[in-house]
Amino acid sequence: MGILGNIGTISHLAVNFLNGIQVPITGKDRSPVSVQKEDFLEYDRIICLDKKEHLPMMQARFPIYYEEVEYWEIADVDVSPSFFGFAPDS
């Protein structure tokens, strides 16, 4: 298991989905990285993909910035497999 409890790089299911809707992917072979304070100053947009998982983390780590984050309702595939068009047992 990698940093922050992640088990590896972006899922091949996510890569296939993004390719299918013509979204270019860069850095897909790197492990996830945690946002840093400097990122809020450098970037116009910070996105967390699973609000339920990440909002409490962001509130604790960045009480000044957490409201600037855009939270999406996309859970990990083991929590929300239907997003990628398959059932958990398939």
Side-chain angles (χ1 to χ4, degrees):
M1 192 169 292
I3 61 165
L4 307 174
N6 290 298
I7 60 170
T9 60
I10 188 170
S11 165
H12 70 280
L13 300 168
V15 170
N16 292 342
F17 176 82
L18 293 169
N19 285 334
I21 60 170
Q22 307 295 307
V23 174
I25 305 167
T26 59
K28 68 182 178 188
D29 295 325
R30 70 158 174 77
S31 293
V33 294
S34 181
V35 67
Q36 302 298 313
K37 181 179 177 182
E38 297 78 24
D39 295 331
F40 291 98
L41 304 174
E42 184 174 346
Y43 298 104
D44 295 327
R45 192 175 195 189
I46 305 284
I47 300 170
C48 287
L49 292 184
D50 184 348
K51 184 176 184 177
K52 183 178 177 182
E53 177 184 357
H54 293 109
L55 179 59
M57 188 184 317
M58 297 303 289
Q59 288 171 320
R61 290 191 61 210
F62 302 106
I64 296 172
Y65 298 111
Y66 80 91
E67 291 179 322
E68 296 178 27
V69 174
E70 185 174 331
Y71 298 93
W72 292 1
E73 298 291 345
I74 301 174
D76 288 339
V77 71
D78 62 327
V79 176
S80 183
S82 62
F83 181 81
F84 294 103
F86 66 92
D89 296 326
S90 61

